[in-house]
Amino acid sequence: MMAERGGCALLESLPVEIRESLAELELELSEGDITQKGYEKKRAKLLARYIPLIQGVDPSLQTDTKLLGKSQITTTTNKQQRSRSTSSRDERFRSEAVQAALAKYKERKMPMPSKRRSALVQSSVETYTPPESVSAPPDVTTGLLGNSHHERPQVASVRGVPRGFNSSILETADGVPVNSRVSSKIQQLLNTLKRPKRPPLREFFVDDFEELLEVQQPDPNQPKAEGSEMALLKGEPLGVVSNWPPSLLTALHRWGTTQPKAPCLTSLDTTGKAVYTLTYGKLWSRSVKLAYTLLHKLTSKNDSLLKPGDRVALVFPNSDPVMFMVAFYGCLLSDLIPVPIEVPLTRKDAGSQQIGFLLGSCGVSLALTTDVCQKGLPKAQTGEVVTFKGWPRLAWFVIDGKHLMKPPKDWYPHIRDASNDPAYIEYKTSKEGSTMGVTVSQSAMLAHCHALTQACGYSEAETLINVLDFKRDAGLWHSVLTSVMNRMHVVSIPYALMKVNPLSWIQKVNAYKARVALVKSRDMHWSLLAQRDQRDVSLGSLRMLIVADGANPWSISSCDAFLNVFQSRGLRPEVICPCASSAEALTVSMRRPPDLGGVPPGKVVLSMNGLSYGVIRADTEEKLSVLTVQDVGQVMPGATMCVVKMEGSPYLCKTDEVGELCISSNSTGTAYYGLHGITKNIFETTPLTANGDPVSSQPFIRTGLLGFIGPERLVFVVGKVDGQMVISGRRHSCDDVVATALAVEPMKFVYRGRIAVFSVNVLHDERIVLVAEQRPDSSEEDSFQWMSRVLQAIDSIHQVGVYCLALVPANTLPKAPLGGIHISETKQHFLEGSLHPCNVLMCPHTCVTNLPKPRQKQPDVGPASMIVGNLVAGKRIAQACGRDVSQLEDNDQAKKFLYLADVLQWRAQTTPDHLLLLLLNSKGAVTSSASCLQLHKRAERVAAGLLEKARLSVGDHVALVFPPGIDLIATFFGCLYAGCIPITVRPPHPQNLATTLPTVKMIVEVSKSACILTTQAIMRLLKSKEAAAAVDIKTWPTILDTEDMPKKKIAHIFRPSSPDTLAYLDFSVSTTGILAGVKMSHSACSALCRSIKLQCELYPSRQIAICLDPYCGLGFALWCLCSVYSGHQSILVPPLELETNASLWLSAVSQYKVRVTFCSYSVMEMCTRGLGTQTGTLKSRGVNLSCVRTCMVVAEERPRISLTQSFSKLFKDLGLSNRAVSTTFGCRVNVAICLQGTAGPDPTTVYVDMRALRHDRVRLVERGSPHSLPLMESGKILPGVKVIIAHTETKGPLGDSHLGEVWVSSPHNANGYYTVYGEEALHADHFNARLSFGDTQTVWARTGYLGFLRRTELTDASGERHDALYVVGSLDETLELRGMRYHPIDIETSVIRSHKNIAECAVFTWTNLLVVVLELDGPEQEALDLVALVTNVVLEEHYLIVGVVVIVDPGVIPINSRGEKQRMHLRDGFLADQLDPIYVAYNM
């Protein structure tokens, strides 16, 4: 529609006929009548002879010579050729302004988003050359360059792979990957962001809890209105006409009876042929027949269906004005109120639901339509028209002749004088998409016809050509109402004909010698594109060319361009009459020819900056950011106009101020039907003078138009209230932004000029979103380049940033009735994530300027004053301990220190046949078991093998590489019997050796293992060809197969010299990718087992079920140590088996009536996901979980409260108590700090303020309050364990409910790191930390987790008040952004909630850019919907700007066996470009 904003000046060198053929061709393409290929072929043929001419074009005319290849030169030419015909001063000016703006930006290069090949037609990633050097860029997110980035030191050297392996992938510890495409893009992004954007806003100190957003400070230099207060502008009085009819129906009756043969309305078909001419006699007789039928023949149970004043929907296509006119007047004659609406084509029409709401609120129960139209409506199975979504039930009545009744001779409709009762209801759609009905009374309808007749000088028998929709607005007012008042002849041009032949209306003006034509800018614009038959047309008969949308910013260019071309065809300049109208005030103003009292037209050039502050400042056209507007004429006869302030009370504006135009007149709408509240607001405004006095006793109507009154009392409109976006206190008009975007190479890229601009509210300010349909043949480079140029043009011309620019495939945006874009529906799709764009560019870094100030670290008070402060405030020191072990022991035997090897021998002698272990397979059957004696004997064989076959000495390290099973436990005790140090290692995955084998190799090497014990199958795998591809298999130590051990007894079982000697090494890779092995002494093993035994009340008669991996931490202890120590029977369920049978664990718990069971989060997730719909089936199979007293989730993280709650809720039907599920907490320095156990109070939950947490503070809030985060207690502190909360930096003790690092002291603390692969020095104080103040004697181990202690009202077993420990998250995982500490899980939770297609999410930072990786669970073409939603939610909830959004397939985010996300692995994979993402969006 406005696509021709672009273009420079015409290439005069081409002959006229070639230019015309080119224009025709262009039109065919834009209408979709010819393919791109066909178009190019024909165009090349036409231009073949003129190519040399074109190549000599003045370079300033070419949009961007660097970007145009030879093949594209013709496009430019064609555009330039066309543009003169369409270009007016303003249009050329806007296009030139855009070109000038873009020239400034030539050097700026932005990183192009990357798209997976499968989603690309042509690959485009390689075309962007990365910058030469990739170095860690500065911190860009705080706006302060050179800010050093303090993080807890990262021990990130390996991430589970030794230095020797594939270093090209892995050199990423310092955050700089090696030659990776992704990172060079990020580098480019950072370079772009480094440029200071706008002057920084004034910043203030952030209060403790109310993180105030930056308030936009008014610019001291902003322009202010300086004029005097405006005076009311009165139109000329309505003239008195001697025989003016008392109502519109009187006029119809008069002409229908006195001039029955006079033509009233001619309708055309799509070829432009006149199909039918309705005479005044026919209009009268058919309207009377319809009125009679409606009043007398539509009955139900002998009652008339309709009563006077009822509302009736008129559903007529744009091609049938005749039937519409009959229906409209038929309703008026029968005292019914017509409500014209669009024909609903599908159940999902844009805005259809709101139309339904309108019909419902108007109480419409009957719809009138034509036979053809009724047949085309969607039908239900019964053959009736379907009920459209949101619509009331309607009866459909067809008004074609055969359905109407002839009235008796003596029946006449009762024609009354015009009263204040409603005559008709015209619908309007608001900015938000809601649809209201504007009621127009009979007297207002009559007065409006009178005013239009006077303003336009209508006289009898004149011919009017109407191109507009006759059902509403100017089309209805002129061609259906005023025309009948004056017995005029209307020729109606259907939209479908305009699409086929845009010149049709001009030909009809010529053919009918029409005096008046009624058009929109678009119609003039289209006719310029197709001037083939214009030589023999004349527009000399026209005395008025009424431009109905004269208030649009682009109407001036259409008017000027049209005049340029058609002046030679008899069009006189004074004939062009733009007018302004609104649904509420009807016609507001209209330019008139001189003979009707018109004054010379006006044109003003206004400063865009001034307009954005609501001030009128004239400027020169040479400036970039100006808006050229034309007047929309004088106020209507009989009306008074004033301009009031846009916000607040309706005070009169000053003369140089933009405000809302208000009208007082008796020819306007009277109310929104049925909506009294907003009616009062709009239809009954009382403008006030500066002193607060009303300017008039008459009420005024707000027109919804923004403007001012210029010289010569002319009215100027600069925008619509609905089209305003208020961004950081400045106003911008959507239409102006559209015009600027269209001036950037319009025909080359945007499909049929279809662009929508609207604003969305993000973080307490409006943000601009621009959505465009791209042409089907656009390449990725084209689209990205167009997007970046549009951003630059809007930034230069409007001085405002675009928040999001989205491109969608051609023809996919929701359409308004006559082909425009349905804006509110488009916005709805954008906010719901259902727009499905094919390209997106978000610019939060440049737009969002109201983030809270980055937190500055205050110099902290020292630990001593802190402790004193807490004591003075009555806060106790945050310290807590489990029960005292020494008082709990029941016999002397237990008080003596026990070696685990001794315990196993003792059990083998005293209870040889007692079954200790049962291993289940996926079918739930016991595949192997071990009694005390069997386990002892197998351990002896292993010990003998180690000493004889492997020739190991005491103290040698042995790696045990076994699948979960009893072999692993037996070999562990075999090592203890032989005096060797066992290390349990998860075997490599045969299908995934490349990633799993290096970890095995690394543990073996780092632990200095002298021997590997394993099964025959794994042994073959370790030495296989596939393994050789992943690691160096020649450097394995001795590998022994345990099935091949001698059947020998060991001579004597090794007994350690002291309890503090090393028993085993526990290796694991943390979530941050650090491989750490901790040393566990014999006394620590024993103490650990004893604490668990006491907490869970474990005895030989008990059974527990364990569904955990047996390789490290508490999982290892429960599998390998606890059963031997306490003598209870363990039912072992390997988590891997749940992949084939999700119900295995729960069925086993039910079958063995287990009271205590352990699992991991990943197991719990498998059960909730896999068994969600199967609880009924499980119940019928007899699964009953009422036996479970405690089900503990083993974890090293903050309890996942939503998962545990949904698990409890889901299996409640199977008898699971809602109090049963709890969590445990352990870490590297102490594998079991908290465990719910069987006694003690239930775990408690508190709600903390997430914003305070970012400042390392705990602020308890009520459930459901904004920013609240639920935290569940991590189980009860184990017997013998002491916990204290220490300040992370000063290492001083903290008070109750203060956030700090959890420190632990207990007999089962690990004895230290065997090695932290990489940086040992950093971890020296992890095991022997001391407080800097207070109790400085106790030695503590630092867990590396943030948490707090809180004394509750509950009492524990000893009768004391219970202290609950709440774990918030790992210190290593936290992200330091904007001076605050964020926990990834909080951001991830927000992201996952933002759209149903997000299956999983992980976040990490890279050089202070926040990277969000999300797994898409949906079609690839819906991937880009997520980019904006994710950016919005993170801004809204966390005040952070997302730097990069990476969309990947499900399963890409690595998760370890404990169900924890491996964010650092993911980060390395991303930086080394190994994720194969579907889409990577770089936010600017």
Side-chain angles (χ1 to χ4, degrees):
M1 182 164 118
M2 336 76 161
E4 308 333 299
R5 273 276 171 158
C8 306
L10 171 64
L11 289 169
E12 295 294 356
S13 50
L14 289 176
V16 177
E17 59 276 14
I18 293 290
R19 297 204 298 266
E20 282 175 6
S21 308
L22 282 172
E24 237 171 276
L25 208 52
E26 192 66 55
L27 184 73
E28 282 178 16
L29 178 71
S30 73
E31 291 299 331
D33 301 333
I34 182 173
T35 64
Q36 178 70 22
K37 208 167 176 182
Y39 161 73
E40 277 166 5
K41 213 167 173 183
K42 285 187 175 177
R43 189 188 58 190
K45 210 166 171 186
L46 279 170
L47 290 169
R49 292 166 48 201
Y50 306 100
I51 289 288
L53 281 175
I54 292 155
Q55 285 173 337
V57 170
D58 169 9
S60 67
L61 294 177
Q62 294 201 354
T63 32
D64 185 354
T65 29
K66 280 196 229 102
L67 300 167
L68 294 173
K70 282 215 172 97
S71 65
Q72 286 161 299
I73 287 180
T74 45
T75 321
T76 328
T77 323
N78 192 13
K79 192 162 73 210
Q80 289 156 348
Q81 177 273 319
R82 197 180 51 257
S83 68
R84 193 203 50 169
S85 57
T86 64
S87 135
S88 67
R89 186 80 183 102
D90 169 60
E91 174 180 279
R92 189 175 69 247
F93 146 74
R94 174 66 67 93
S95 182
E96 284 165 1
V98 166
Q99 297 307 328
L102 294 178
K104 294 198 310 196
Y105 283 92
K106 271 291 178 304
E107 297 316 304
R108 256 177 94 166
K109 202 164 191 192
M110 302 202 254
M112 179 167 160
S114 47
K115 213 181 239 187
R116 177 181 286 172
R117 301 282 186 283
S118 62
L120 278 177
V121 191
Q122 300 153 277
S123 139
S124 56
V125 182
E126 277 70 20
T127 54
Y128 271 72
T129 44
E132 296 309 295
S133 62
V134 180
S135 59
D139 169 0
V140 294
T141 47
T142 54
L144 314 163
L145 297 179
N147 229 20
S148 59
H149 170 49
H150 300 294
E151 254 182 28
R152 183 186 168 92
Q154 270 284 5
V155 187
S157 43
V158 289
R159 316 261 188 265
V161 187
R163 281 260 184 233
F165 300 111
N166 198 349
S167 59
S168 66
I169 303 173
L170 284 164
E171 291 300 312
T172 60
D174 48 357
V176 184
V178 179
N179 46 19
S180 125
R181 190 170 74 217
V182 175
S183 62
S184 62
K185 290 247 181 85
I186 298 181
Q187 181 66 45
Q188 228 169 316
L189 169 62
L190 287 160
N191 294 341
T192 310
L193 295 177
K194 253 189 287 189
R195 297 178 175 74
K197 183 70 193 128
R198 305 244 153 75
L201 297 170
R202 201 174 64 72
E203 294 175 335
F204 48 73
F205 176 69
V206 179
D207 167 61
D208 261 14
F209 296 119
E210 288 315 308
E211 287 188 304
L212 303 168
L213 292 179
E214 226 17 293
V215 177
Q216 184 75 29
Q217 298 303 314
D219 175 0
N221 306 321
Q222 76 180 49
K224 294 189 173 55
E226 292 152 7
S228 55
E229 185 173 279
M230 69 156 298
L232 292 186
L233 179 63
K234 289 192 185 332
E236 68 202 64
L238 267 181
V240 180
V241 183
S242 53
N243 61 348
W244 193 253
S247 77
L248 187 57
L249 294 177
T250 316
L252 172 63
H253 178 233
R254 179 203 293 174
W255 305 130
T257 50
T258 63
Q259 301 273 357
K261 293 272 191 293
C264 168
L265 173 66
T266 298
S267 70
L268 309 175
D269 64 10
T270 50
T271 62
K273 274 221 313 277
V275 187
Y276 182 77
T277 295
L278 180 73
T279 60
Y280 277 92
K282 274 282 183 225
L283 174 60
W284 168 250
S285 63
R286 288 170 67 177
S287 303
V288 169
K289 260 167 97 173
L290 175 60
Y292 178 76
T293 310
L294 291 174
L295 289 174
H296 297 90
K297 296 299 166 192
L298 289 186
T299 55
S300 70
K301 304 193 182 82
N302 296 334
D303 271 353
S304 175
L305 258 184
L306 299 164
K307 298 177 195 60
D310 281 357
R311 276 73 54 207
V312 175
L314 303 194
V315 185
F316 291 87
N318 285 307
S319 54
D320 204 340
V322 172
M323 293 300 248
F324 173 80
M325 206 157 178
V326 169
F328 193 89
Y329 282 104
C331 287
L332 294 186
L333 283 168
S334 45
D335 259 350
L336 300 170
I337 301 171
V339 185
I341 59 169
E342 305 306 329
V343 178
L345 298 175
T346 64
R347 301 192 70 156
K348 281 210 202 93
D349 274 7
S352 167
Q353 222 171 326
Q354 273 73 31
I355 295 279
F357 172 74
L358 168 75
L359 297 177
S361 63
C362 290
V364 173
S365 58
L366 176 72
L368 304 185
T369 187
T370 66
D371 199 25
V372 175
C373 184
Q374 201 265 359
K375 286 191 173 117
L377 291 172
K379 305 287 187 299
Q381 256 104 19
T382 56
E384 290 179 10
V385 176
V386 295
T387 300
F388 296 97
K389 192 176 174 195
W391 284 39
R393 278 193 70 78
L394 295 181
W396 291 82
F397 180 64
V398 172
I399 66 157
D400 293 49
K402 57 177 183 275
H403 300 279
L404 302 184
M405 310 293 298
K406 201 166 182 193
K409 289 269 186 290
D410 56 349
W411 187 84
Y412 276 103
H414 179 50
I415 296 177
R416 286 199 300 269
D417 289 357
S419 68
N420 285 331
D421 293 338
Y424 68 93
I425 293 173
E426 185 174 328
Y427 81 86
K428 79 155 270 189
T429 305
S430 74
K431 183 179 183 177
E432 287 71 42
S434 54
T435 299
M436 280 100 70
V438 176
T439 310
V440 180
S441 68
Q442 295 168 7
S443 53
M445 177 169 76
L446 183 69
H448 191 211
C449 289
H450 191 167
L452 285 177
T453 303
Q454 186 169 326
C456 301
Y458 285 141
S459 58
E460 282 180 40
E462 270 195 315
T463 305
L464 166 78
I465 304 289
N466 173 38
V467 191
L468 307 187
D469 179 3
F470 49 78
K471 298 192 291 296
R472 48 191 303 216
D473 288 346
L476 174 69
W477 309 331
H478 287 263
S479 74
V480 175
L481 307 178
T482 311
S483 62
V484 168
M485 187 57 94
N486 294 295
R487 191 174 68 77
M488 292 162 66
H489 177 198
V490 174
V491 180
S492 189
I493 312 271
Y495 177 65
L497 170 57
M498 282 296 289
K499 280 177 77 172
V500 181
N501 174 11
L503 276 179
S504 52
W505 69 274
I506 295 179
Q507 291 158 354
K508 295 303 167 207
V509 167
N510 184 49
Y512 286 91
K513 295 287 171 271
R515 307 293 318 278
V516 183
L518 184 58
V519 298
K520 280 194 165 174
S521 320
R522 172 180 68 185
D523 308 319
M524 299 160 75
H525 174 80
W526 278 6
S527 55
L528 290 172
L529 288 184
Q531 316 155 23
R532 60 185 157 192
D533 306 327
Q534 81 204 29
R535 275 180 299 258
D536 48 355
V537 297
S538 159
L539 295 179
S541 63
L542 279 183
R543 60 180 188 79
M544 276 187 96
L545 174 58
I546 300 170
V547 185
D549 60 346
N552 273 341
W554 46 78
S555 67
I556 179 170
S557 52
S558 295
C559 292
D560 288 4
F562 190 77
L563 182 61
N564 283 347
V565 170
F566 285 99
Q567 206 161 354
S568 58
R569 306 275 183 281
L571 180 68
R572 304 189 303 285
E574 67 273 11
V575 166
I576 295 180
C577 298
C579 68
S581 61
S582 83
E584 292 82 2
L586 311 187
T587 310
V588 173
S589 67
M590 178 180 281
R591 194 190 287 176
R592 302 175 213 171
D595 55 335
L596 293 171
V599 296
K603 179 165 152 188
V604 290
V605 181
L606 301 175
S607 146
M608 286 252 195
N609 185 46
L611 282 178
S612 72
Y613 290 110
V615 178
I616 298 152
R617 289 286 176 268
D619 216 321
T620 60
E621 294 195 347
E622 281 60 59
K623 287 278 183 58
L624 282 188
S625 49
V626 294
L627 178 70
T628 307
V629 280
Q630 63 180 353
D631 70 284
V632 284
Q634 294 139 296
V635 185
M636 292 300 284
T640 305
M641 178 186 281
C642 66
V643 186
V644 301
K645 296 203 183 292
M646 295 182 243
E647 275 155 5
S649 303
Y651 286 103
L652 288 180
C653 286
K654 295 182 175 167
T655 48
D656 62 345
E657 196 174 0
V658 174
E660 185 172 3
L661 305 182
C662 292
I663 290 285
S664 175
S665 155
N666 56 4
S667 62
T668 58
T670 47
Y672 290 129
Y673 189 89
L675 302 169
H676 304 296
I678 51 175
T679 290
K680 196 161 178 53
N681 230 347
I682 300 292
F683 290 87
E684 299 166 30
T685 296
T686 309
L688 307 170
T689 63
N691 311 328
D693 305 327
V695 296
S696 154
S697 56
Q698 292 298 312
F700 278 71
I701 288 186
R702 289 177 175 269
T703 62
L705 299 174
L706 299 177
F708 59 94
I709 290 160
E712 299 282 346
R713 299 162 58 94
L714 288 173
V715 179
F716 287 87
V717 175
V718 295
K720 299 188 182 72
V721 171
D722 270 357
Q724 292 293 296
M725 304 178 286
V726 183
I727 290 132
S728 305
R730 289 174 61 217
R731 290 173 178 275
H732 302 275
S733 156
C734 294
D735 288 342
D736 287 343
V737 177
V738 169
T740 300
L742 277 170
V744 182
E745 310 180 84
M747 293 313 282
K748 203 163 130 192
F749 187 78
V750 181
Y751 177 71
R752 297 182 64 179
R754 289 171 61 79
I755 292 185
V757 169
F758 51 87
S759 63
V760 295
N761 206 298
V762 181
L763 203 67
H764 310 293
D765 200 358
E766 286 184 43
R767 315 283 175 195
I768 297 180
V769 178
L770 191 150
V771 184
E773 288 187 2
Q774 66 176 38
R775 297 222 333 210
D777 53 343
S778 312
S779 70
E780 289 291 305
E781 287 88 349
D782 283 350
S783 53
F784 183 69
Q785 196 186 339
W786 184 82
M787 286 157 89
S788 26
R789 292 168 69 101
V790 166
L791 290 178
Q792 293 157 2
I794 292 172
D795 185 61
S796 283
I797 288 175
H798 303 271
Q799 276 97 49
V800 68
V802 175
Y803 176 67
C804 174
L805 213 159
L807 296 177
V808 297
N811 265 327
T812 54
L813 288 179
K815 288 190 173 66
L818 286 182
I821 296 172
H822 198 292
I823 303 281
S824 58
E825 197 98 344
T826 302
K827 176 173 173 175
Q828 200 52 39
H829 285 325
F830 174 80
L831 291 171
E832 286 168 358
S834 55
L835 198 59
H836 310 331
C838 46
N839 264 307
V840 164
L841 188 54
M842 300 281 302
C843 308
H845 286 287
T846 48
C847 289
V848 180
T849 50
N850 64 334
L851 284 172
K853 183 182 179 211
R855 176 182 172 211
Q856 305 294 327
K857 286 270 169 60
Q858 300 305 318
D860 275 306
V861 287
S865 46
M866 196 179 269
I867 194 168
V868 171
N870 278 329
L871 293 170
V872 169
K875 286 244 175 86
R876 30 171 246 105
I877 296 300
Q879 191 168 357
C881 51
R883 293 176 291 168
D884 184 355
V885 184
S886 57
Q887 296 166 7
L888 293 170
E889 293 299 7
D890 41 10
N891 55 23
D892 293 338
Q893 152 85 38
K895 285 184 184 164
K896 287 207 292 273
F897 174 75
L898 295 172
Y899 290 107
L900 274 174
D902 295 355
V903 178
L904 180 54
Q905 292 167 67
W906 174 70
R907 290 202 184 282
Q909 285 161 8
T910 54
T911 53
D913 300 327
H914 172 60
L915 271 185
L916 278 182
L917 308 162
L918 299 177
L919 179 75
L920 304 187
N921 64 8
S922 59
K923 295 195 173 64
V926 177
T927 50
S928 63
S929 60
S931 65
C932 301
L933 185 60
Q934 287 167 329
L935 190 63
H936 167 65
K937 289 206 151 148
R938 286 166 75 173
E940 282 194 314
R941 277 183 61 195
V942 170
L946 285 171
L947 296 176
E948 290 187 17
K949 282 190 82 170
R951 308 212 177 280
L952 295 185
S953 333
V954 167
D956 279 350
H957 295 187
V958 179
L960 313 180
V961 186
F962 287 92
I966 293 173
D967 279 351
L968 179 72
I969 304 167
T971 47
F972 175 82
F973 280 97
C975 290
L976 295 189
Y977 280 11
C980 296
I981 312 297
I983 297 108
T984 48
V985 184
R986 176 193 307 278
H989 196 293
Q991 269 78 54
N992 194 0
L993 281 179
T995 51
T996 56
L997 192 58
T999 311
V1000 176
K1001 179 87 163 123
M1002 183 163 53
I1003 295 175
V1004 169
E1005 286 184 355
V1006 170
S1007 64
K1008 305 192 173 68
S1009 296
C1011 165
I1012 297 174
L1013 284 184
T1014 185
T1015 63
Q1016 205 167 353
I1018 294 172
M1019 179 167 160
R1020 277 204 295 273
L1021 189 65
L1022 295 181
K1023 294 179 171 177
S1024 67
K1025 253 206 277 251
E1026 293 77 13
V1031 300
D1032 179 3
I1033 58 171
K1034 296 195 180 76
T1035 55
W1036 287 120
T1038 317
I1039 303 178
L1040 288 186
D1041 166 12
T1042 44
E1043 292 147 36
D1044 188 24
M1045 290 287 179
K1047 292 196 173 168
K1048 279 192 176 175
K1049 259 183 153 183
I1050 185 169
H1052 71 282
I1053 289 171
F1054 172 77
R1055 193 179 168 86
S1057 54
S1058 102
D1060 296 330
T1061 53
L1062 188 58
Y1064 69 93
L1065 293 178
D1066 182 331
F1067 268 88
S1068 85
V1069 179
S1070 75
T1071 48
T1072 51
I1074 300 168
L1075 174 71
V1078 294
K1079 299 186 279 201
M1080 287 292 282
S1081 66
H1082 287 280
S1083 61
C1085 288
S1086 233
L1088 172 65
C1089 293
R1090 184 172 51 183
S1091 282
I1092 295 172
K1093 174 189 169 180
L1094 294 169
Q1095 193 81 331
C1096 299
E1097 299 177 1
L1098 301 176
Y1099 308 109
S1101 55
R1102 282 279 158 84
Q1103 275 183 320
I1104 69 169
I1106 304 167
C1107 191
L1108 291 166
D1109 276 323
Y1111 301 106
C1112 61
L1114 187 53
F1116 165 78
L1118 290 165
W1119 265 70
C1120 298
L1121 313 178
C1122 291
S1123 267
V1124 169
Y1125 184 91
S1126 308
H1128 59 271
Q1129 188 182 86
S1130 293
I1131 294 143
L1132 307 173
V1133 183
L1136 210 60
E1137 303 290 1
L1138 265 69
E1139 287 179 14
T1140 41
N1141 174 10
S1143 63
L1144 171 66
W1145 167 51
L1146 296 179
S1147 304
V1149 166
S1150 163
Q1151 181 189 337
Y1152 292 94
K1153 300 205 171 20
V1154 169
R1155 290 175 63 179
V1156 176
T1157 180
F1158 293 88
C1159 71
S1160 65
Y1161 279 125
S1162 42
V1163 166
M1164 199 167 257
E1165 202 150 21
M1166 265 193 264
C1167 291
T1168 31
R1169 283 194 179 164
L1171 304 173
T1173 52
Q1174 297 175 31
T1175 44
T1177 326
L1178 292 175
K1179 205 170 187 174
S1180 62
R1181 294 218 309 257
V1183 174
N1184 181 351
L1185 302 177
S1186 56
C1187 53
V1188 178
R1189 272 181 60 186
T1190 42
C1191 164
M1192 287 171 270
V1193 191
V1194 173
E1196 297 190 8
E1197 56 178 302
R1198 177 200 302 178
R1200 296 190 203 171
I1201 198 161
S1202 57
L1203 179 57
T1204 54
Q1205 281 175 349
S1206 52
F1207 180 82
S1208 300
K1209 216 177 272 176
L1210 189 59
F1211 297 109
K1212 189 174 74 180
D1213 295 351
L1214 300 181
L1216 182 69
S1217 152
N1218 60 351
R1219 301 167 55 181
V1221 179
S1222 62
T1223 64
T1224 71
F1225 173 61
C1227 60
R1228 293 282 67 208
V1229 300
N1230 185 322
V1231 298
I1233 297 168
C1234 298
L1235 235 164
Q1236 183 59 29
T1238 45
D1242 287 341
T1244 54
T1245 298
V1246 292
Y1247 291 83
V1248 298
D1249 185 321
M1250 208 189 302
R1251 294 168 307 173
L1253 220 47
R1254 293 172 203 153
H1255 293 266
D1256 286 344
R1257 284 191 296 271
V1258 176
R1259 179 185 181 215
L1260 298 179
V1261 292
E1262 291 302 311
R1263 176 182 179 172
S1265 63
H1267 305 284
S1268 63
L1269 173 74
L1271 291 177
M1272 185 162 89
E1273 179 187 350
S1274 292
K1276 303 289 166 283
I1277 297 173
L1278 280 164
V1281 175
K1282 283 203 303 194
V1283 167
I1284 194 162
I1285 306 296
H1287 194 285
T1288 48
E1289 281 154 18
T1290 64
K1291 300 194 173 51
L1294 289 173
D1296 189 87
S1297 297
H1298 277 52
L1299 188 70
E1301 187 178 7
V1302 179
W1303 287 14
V1304 59
S1305 164
S1306 109
H1308 64 256
N1309 273 10
N1311 297 38
Y1313 286 120
Y1314 175 71
T1315 176
V1316 175
Y1317 188 64
E1319 322 263 346
E1320 287 80 353
L1322 286 175
H1323 297 275
D1325 68 339
H1326 276 199
F1327 289 89
N1328 45 20
R1330 293 172 195 265
L1331 290 171
S1332 58
F1333 193 83
D1335 165 15
T1336 52
Q1337 295 312 301
T1338 311
V1339 175
W1340 301 88
R1342 295 175 54 187
T1343 62
Y1345 281 81
L1346 285 172
F1348 60 95
L1349 279 164
R1350 180 172 168 267
R1351 179 150 280 187
T1352 64
E1353 298 303 314
L1354 308 169
T1355 50
D1356 57 26
S1358 58
E1360 297 286 318
R1361 274 176 66 190
H1362 166 62
D1363 291 310
L1365 173 65
Y1366 299 93
V1367 173
V1368 175
S1370 154
L1371 211 50
D1372 279 341
E1373 289 263 88
T1374 56
L1375 313 173
E1376 286 254 348
L1377 289 164
R1378 301 180 58 76
M1380 289 175 277
R1381 197 195 298 277
Y1382 286 87
H1383 294 271
I1385 185 70
D1386 296 327
I1387 299 173
E1388 289 157 2
T1389 305
S1390 298
V1391 168
I1392 289 171
R1393 263 204 330 259
S1394 68
H1395 196 279
K1396 63 180 190 313
N1397 283 0
I1398 300 177
E1400 187 54 274
C1401 162
V1403 303
F1404 51 83
T1405 53
W1406 185 71
T1407 59
N1408 269 31
L1409 274 187
L1410 179 64
V1411 181
V1412 177
V1413 180
L1414 31 115
E1415 293 182 355
L1416 171 73
D1417 182 14
E1420 274 189 17
Q1421 57 270 30
E1422 294 179 19
L1424 274 72
D1425 284 315
L1426 309 178
V1427 177
L1429 294 184
V1430 166
T1431 308
N1432 291 358
V1433 78
V1434 175
L1435 258 173
E1436 287 273 353
E1437 296 184 11
H1438 303 279
Y1439 304 152
L1440 288 177
I1441 292 180
V1442 176
V1444 186
V1445 181
V1446 186
I1447 302 170
V1448 296
D1449 295 313
V1452 168
I1453 294 173
I1455 288 177
N1456 67 14
S1457 58
R1458 298 189 292 273
E1460 298 159 338
K1461 294 173 196 166
Q1462 303 286 77
R1463 297 182 185 90
M1464 289 304 129
H1465 274 319
L1466 182 69
R1467 177 183 157 186
D1468 292 346
F1470 167 66
L1471 294 173
D1473 205 12
Q1474 294 166 338
L1475 300 185
D1476 183 27
I1478 297 167
Y1479 193 82
V1480 181
Y1482 303 95
N1483 286 351
M1484 307 306 300

